[in-house]
Amino acid sequence: MQITITDNSFALNGAEMSFPLDIQQLKALLGEARHVSKKYNHIYTWDKLGLLAYSKNGKMAEGLHIDYITNDMDFSPEMVFTGVFTINGLDYRAYFDKHKQSARKVTKRDEGGTLTVGNFDVYVDVEDGIMKSFGIGPYDPPAPKVYSDKYKQPPVAAEKIDFTDFNFKLAVIQELMYNKKLLKPAFDLYEFVENYAGREIDIEEEGYGFIPEVTAYFEALEIDKKYAPEITEISQDGGDDIYGQLLRFWDGEDETFNIVHFEDIRHFPNLKRMNLFHADNLAEIAEQLAKKGITVESI
């Protein structure tokens, strides 16, 4: 059995093929196949060759699958592929080793990935350094990505609130954006990342620290002074939406978001109560704010 892929051609045993693959043509080349019908597709298995073909309509196959280890699925080949498989003149192993850094991955921890070879996509399944299978199909160029301008920040036309303490500002944003739903749009980290054109942001990798672009968004976010009377209390909680947006995997066990400076209370004439994260000097803070008519508690 010989499989050959170049930038412009795909051949089985010397016969050039094109996707989608005609099931009858495959049978003529490879012999009869075992057929397993699933809910969403048909699977044709050549047990002795270690090959499978996947077809939505049972007539044309969208992809060919090569197994290098045995599996216990009802459609898995009885034997693994032992034929010759070359990509642009190289043994498939050598080709993957040479180009694996350019493979498109589901996650950064994915050991394999998808290589585009000319008009074809070759998916490589690797686990613990062992190649388990290859999938071959047509390369379908992705549509140009359209970015939303939902998070483009228009400047506040009227007077804005100038904050001294960033964490105080975040607590106010929690109240106005997520609790009272007055400040719009409500920021969603995953939506923001999806629509951020400057670079690819990996939340799973970067979410244990502050993502610079997200922090910059909230630093630059202007709040109209007309909302100041709406702030009658501030209640910090580790589960607040705002903290999950800025520090996705924060455990709430440190003082990252503690308010240090309280000069910003001057902007909020109706603020009467603050429920704050624990601090060693909480009693001192409570005493100072009590003079301003604000009751302080700690979570």
Side-chain angles (χ1 to χ4, degrees):
M1 181 68 208
Q2 186 173 34
I3 300 174
T4 305
I5 297 176
T6 69
D7 287 344
N8 301 309
S9 67
F10 167 60
L12 296 177
N13 288 341
E16 191 163 325
M17 312 287 288
S18 61
F19 287 95
L21 304 171
D22 186 290
I23 296 297
Q24 295 306 317
Q25 185 181 8
L26 286 175
K27 288 180 179 180
L29 280 169
L30 307 176
E32 278 300 318
R34 180 162 56 88
H35 175 219
V36 177
S37 179
K38 296 293 185 180
K39 184 176 181 179
Y40 296 108
N41 58 20
H42 299 263
I43 304 172
Y44 294 87
T45 304
W46 285 267
D47 283 302
K48 307 301 182 184
L49 298 177
L51 295 178
L52 306 95
Y54 291 86
S55 169
K56 289 186 174 70
N57 62 13
K59 297 178 181 180
M60 306 297 290
E62 293 77 28
L64 192 70
H65 194 82
I66 306 169
D67 269 2
Y68 287 100
I69 65 171
T70 55
N71 294 290
D72 57 4
M73 302 290 190
D74 60 352
F75 53 82
S76 297
E78 295 174 0
M79 300 176 64
V80 299
F81 181 82
T82 58
V84 177
F85 177 22
T86 61
I87 303 175
N88 279 338
L90 293 176
D91 175 81
Y92 69 93
R93 301 176 190 84
Y95 188 89
F96 177 68
D97 286 342
K98 184 177 180 179
H99 297 277
K100 60 184 177 183
Q101 296 303 321
S102 62
R104 305 192 304 276
K105 300 176 181 294
V106 176
T107 69
K108 288 187 177 181
R109 297 181 181 86
D110 188 358
E111 294 183 57
T114 300
L115 294 169
T116 297
V117 184
N119 299 323
F120 308 98
D121 266 350
V122 180
Y123 171 71
V124 190
D125 185 11
V126 180
E127 188 175 316
D128 295 330
I130 300 173
M131 288 186 179
K132 299 173 62 178
S133 63
F134 273 72
I136 304 169
Y139 170 62
D140 186 14
K145 188 169 182 179
V146 178
Y147 295 96
S148 168
D149 62 355
K150 178 177 179 178
Y151 292 105
K152 184 177 181 180
Q153 299 182 35
V156 170
E159 189 176 359
K160 65 181 180 180
I161 302 172
D162 290 319
F163 289 89
T164 300
D165 189 293
F166 183 55
N167 286 339
F168 197 110
K169 180 181 182 181
L170 295 180
V172 170
I173 292 173
Q174 172 65 34
E175 186 69 14
L176 294 177
M177 183 178 287
Y178 298 105
N179 296 351
K180 295 194 172 186
K181 305 185 188 307
L182 295 173
L183 202 59
K184 297 179 180 180
F187 186 92
D188 179 272
L189 174 62
Y190 287 87
E191 186 179 54
F192 176 84
V193 166
E194 179 67 22
N195 285 284
Y196 187 75
R199 69 176 180 93
E200 183 178 346
I201 299 173
D202 188 331
I203 295 174
E204 299 302 312
E205 290 287 333
E206 301 179 48
Y208 293 92
F210 287 99
I211 298 171
E213 292 84 355
V214 176
T215 303
Y217 177 89
F218 285 105
E219 287 176 338
L221 181 64
E222 296 183 356
I223 302 176
D224 196 314
K225 203 161 188 176
K226 70 180 181 180
Y227 293 123
E230 298 289 340
I231 302 299
T232 58
E233 69 174 278
I234 285 176
S235 184
Q236 292 185 299
D237 185 274
D240 284 344
D241 296 276
I242 187 65
Y243 305 128
Q245 309 304 324
L246 275 147
L247 199 52
R248 176 66 185 86
F249 302 116
W250 184 54
D251 60 11
E253 297 298 323
D254 56 44
E255 299 181 353
T256 299
F257 294 106
N258 279 32
I259 297 171
V260 177
H261 304 289
F262 290 86
E263 292 91 335
D264 293 319
I265 63 172
R266 70 186 186 277
H267 299 299
F268 306 100
N270 298 331
L271 179 60
K272 301 301 180 186
R273 180 176 174 273
M274 298 186 75
N275 196 358
L276 303 174
F277 290 132
H278 175 74
D280 292 338
N281 64 336
L282 188 65
E284 180 183 342
I285 293 171
E287 182 180 351
Q288 291 175 356
L289 294 185
K291 297 175 182 178
K292 306 287 187 180
I294 300 172
T295 300
V296 174
E297 298 177 5
S298 174
I299 61 172

